[in-house]
Amino acid sequence: MAGLLDKRVWIVSGKGGVGKSTIAAALALRSARAGRRTLVCEINTQERISRLLGHKPVGPEVTKLEDNLWAVDVRPQEAMREYALMVLRFETLYKTVFENKVVRYFLRFIPSLQELVLLGKILFHAQEKRPDGKPLWDTLVMDAPATGHAITFLRVPQVLLQTLPPGPMTREALKMRDILEDPATTAAVLVSLPEELPVNETLELHAALRDQVKVRTHAAVLNAAFLERFTEDDLEALVDQPELLRVARSHHDRAAQTVLAEMKLERNLHVPVHQVPRIFTPAFDRSAIEQVMGYLEPLVTGKDGA
């Protein structure tokens, strides 16, 4: 199967707490290492990716972290102004409309407006061009909201096209929908843990992306996986050492659970499932992200890692 390097927009999502920001950080770093101008977007959240990569928080401005790698935390207030200017084109009109206190009060009641400006700003970056006409960003990594919110967030273009009359907003919504639905451009990476609830939510997310958003799942990542280290013979050999047996038995059971989780994901998603082993470290920092990046090599390139 082709690797993610064949796509430009990488959407990373999954149940809250499964490590999707970790995976997004590792994927963005790997894309930059491939020489691709890469922008990683966090969405209205406490920044984690810049810190995981050993940098200070970047805030709402696109900021360079290192060679070929930029980051931005897309926030509603700043995105509202930027996106409105992108659509309306005239700053005087923006100030007249969006900086009017009465108008701003009523804007709070427009369904999906916040999601619209957040997603609109991100996908605007996906459409930015260099002077030679080539895309400004070779890769855009979106650290998307968790499961349920991700669907609401990514469905915004469809909702607008179904509810608004033709005009500037629907034209922008059509552009956004076309980017998301284009399998040659956009790929979703679903992150799970080897546990029943995260696996089930991953399957639900995949179905919702397919049926409601028309975004294609490219692959899944089974994060914090336990690799098999102890056989049944090993456990029998430890029968006279109860403390060691307890630890070995626990690891053995978690490894078995990982195998079952991987099988369930592969059977139902029909896409590759990539394991990232649990990394035991006092501080989950840049060095840990580098390790995660190595495990994701087949996902990014479509080839086995070194």
Side-chain angles (χ1 to χ4, degrees), residues 13-15 18 189-207 210 217-223 225 257-276:
S13 187
K15 176 178 167 57
V18 298
V189 176
L190 308 187
V191 184
S192 184
L193 295 176
E195 301 169 9
E196 183 176 6
L197 186 57
V199 167
N200 289 339
E201 284 207 23
T202 300
L203 300 182
E204 292 171 5
L205 175 58
H206 164 73
R210 179 193 62 209
T217 299
H218 181 85
V221 173
L222 194 57
N223 193 28
Q257 190 177 16
T258 294
V259 171
L260 293 175
E262 182 177 28
M263 290 173 60
K264 186 172 183 178
L265 289 172
E266 288 180 338
R267 184 171 63 248
N268 290 278
L269 296 180
H270 306 291
V271 298
V273 178
H274 301 271
Q275 287 191 17
V276 173

Side-chain angles (χ1 to χ4, degrees), residues 42-165:
E42 294 189 81
I43 303 169
N44 193 27
T45 187
Q46 184 177 357
E47 290 184 48
R48 296 192 68 242
I49 289 179
S50 54
R51 178 174 57 80
L52 285 170
L53 293 173
H55 301 281
K56 296 179 180 179
V58 299
E61 298 294 328
V62 173
T63 302
K64 188 171 185 179
L65 299 181
E66 54 194 82
D67 288 348
N68 295 317
L69 182 58
W70 286 256
V72 62
D73 180 17
V74 185
R75 302 173 184 170
Q77 183 173 350
E78 293 84 358
M80 174 70 77
R81 182 179 187 281
E82 290 186 46
Y83 186 64
L85 290 176
M86 294 170 199
V87 176
L88 297 175
R89 307 297 182 188
F90 298 104
E91 186 160 5
T92 53
L93 181 57
Y94 166 82
K95 290 179 178 178
T96 301
V97 176
F98 286 87
E99 293 189 357
N100 182 292
K101 290 183 179 180
V102 176
V103 173
R104 285 167 58 186
Y105 174 80
F106 285 103
L107 285 175
R108 296 184 302 165
F109 300 99
I110 299 178
S112 303
L113 180 63
Q114 177 170 298
E115 288 81 3
L116 167 67
V117 297
L118 293 172
L119 182 61
K121 183 180 187 310
I122 292 170
L123 295 184
F124 170 82
H125 290 309
Q127 301 172 70
E128 288 184 290
K129 302 293 184 183
R130 307 180 203 184
D132 62 4
K134 295 181 180 179
L136 178 61
W137 306 108
D138 301 310
T139 303
L140 190 150
V141 180
M142 186 190 307
D143 184 12
T147 311
H149 189 195
I151 299 303
T152 301
F153 182 71
L154 296 171
R155 283 196 72 241
V156 165
Q158 294 185 17
V159 171
L160 293 177
L161 290 170
Q162 293 166 3
T163 57
L164 294 181

